[in-house]
Amino acid sequence: MTRRGLVPVDGVTMDIGVSSMQLDQAERGFSFQSDGPLDMRMSQEGVTAEEWLNTADEEEIANVLFKFGEEPKSRRVARAIVSARPLKRTSELANVVRKSLNHKHYDKKDPATRTFQAIRIHLNRELDELAEGLAAAERVLKPGGRLAVVTFHSLEDRLVKRFLRERSGSEPAGSRHRPMAGPRAAPSFETPAKAVRPGEEEIARNPRARSATLRVARRTAAAPWGSEGVN
């Protein structure tokens, strides 16, 4: 670890998701609440949402919307997107989604939320980046060091929850009728603390915190998983 310039640390905090600053900048294309170009790139490098939406086939779009946006009518939305191409603005995409799902102005939640989330996660490899970040935190934390992760939607939270349950040895070993493939690694984290979510007072002060979940776990002295033979 020292050869790579990594120094053991007492704590790692990860705040996952899009920042308010990014959401509030219409030119970044993350929000459907104000019109802007279909960009959605966090690093401002690589394929834009416009380029992807206007070239991907219907099946690929549907799969992304279902996997990363948990959109139950992903095929209908994907079909509408392909029919409406070319798309260039966030307002255009949002209106296509709303129309395809028969959205009414009085509906409580805008259905475009799921589509925008899915495209953003896909373009920025957000879940892959999160998984890599959790593994990196495991490597740099010293024994007793704490990992604290704040997530803002269920896909992220499930990934963090599964990582901490697995690394703490809390994940079920599987069916009792099927033998384990091999010995499990020693737990690299203690059993994580109970998840913390915002109360009514905090949500009133900061509405964007309503979907936040904080998970915390403390590092053990065991080697990082998968590090056998690595110094």
Side-chain angles (χ1 to χ4, degrees):
M1 185 165 66
T2 54
R3 288 204 308 265
R4 299 178 183 176
L6 301 176
V7 179
V9 299
D10 293 311
V12 173
T13 301
M14 302 174 69
D15 185 349
I16 311 302
V18 184
S19 71
S20 294
M21 183 174 63
Q22 289 172 320
L23 286 172
D24 293 339
Q25 293 175 343
E27 65 273 15
R28 298 297 302 275
F30 287 108
S31 176
F32 53 82
Q33 295 178 336
S34 55
D35 184 47
L38 277 168
D39 193 320
M40 300 195 197
R41 299 170 301 168
M42 289 189 180
S43 66
Q44 297 186 296
E45 296 179 351
V47 177
T48 66
E50 177 186 345
E51 291 167 335
W52 182 73
L53 283 168
N54 289 323
T55 57
D57 62 36
E58 184 178 315
E59 183 177 5
E60 181 184 359
I61 295 173
N63 288 341
V64 165
L65 299 187
F66 184 78
K67 181 178 180 180
F68 298 128
E70 300 181 297
E71 172 55 70
K73 298 178 180 177
S74 59
R75 294 193 180 282
R76 181 193 297 182
V77 176
R79 192 178 310 119
I81 288 172
V82 170
S83 297
R85 296 196 299 205
L87 296 168
K88 294 182 176 295
R89 310 289 295 180
T90 56
S91 58
E92 293 175 337
L93 174 60
N95 288 333
V96 167
V97 176
R98 292 168 185 147
K99 186 176 180 180
S100 71
L101 297 176
N102 300 315
H103 174 64
K104 304 295 188 295
H105 70 277
Y106 50 77
D107 289 342
K108 195 169 184 181
K109 187 173 182 180
D110 195 318
T113 303
R114 294 188 292 268
T115 292
F116 273 68
Q117 171 187 299
I119 296 168
R120 192 200 75 227
I121 290 174
H122 171 67
L123 291 177
N124 295 288
R125 297 181 60 253
E126 290 182 31
L127 297 185
D128 291 338
E129 294 281 351
L130 174 56
E132 292 167 8
L134 292 171
E138 179 188 38
R139 292 193 297 272
V140 300
L141 280 167
K142 64 174 61 173
R146 283 179 170 81
L147 170 63
V149 187
V150 181
T151 58
F152 289 88
H153 60 71
S154 59
L155 291 176
E156 298 168 342
D157 184 53
R158 285 201 295 266
L159 195 156
V160 174
K161 181 180 180 180
R162 186 166 59 247
F163 174 86
L164 292 177
R165 288 183 65 181
E166 181 182 55
R167 294 302 207 265
S168 65
S170 305
E171 189 74 20
S175 171
R176 61 189 175 88
H177 301 294
R178 185 175 59 197
M180 292 180 62
R184 303 181 75 171
S188 56
F189 284 91
E190 296 178 4
T191 301
K194 185 177 179 180
V196 178
R197 296 179 175 86
E200 293 182 6
E201 183 178 340
E202 183 174 358
I203 293 173
R205 292 197 312 269
N206 178 19
R208 286 179 174 172
R210 66 185 179 279
S211 58
T213 300
L214 170 65
R215 294 188 184 275
V216 179
R218 187 162 61 178
R219 189 74 168 82
T220 69
W225 284 29
S227 64
E228 294 82 358
V230 178
N231 293 319

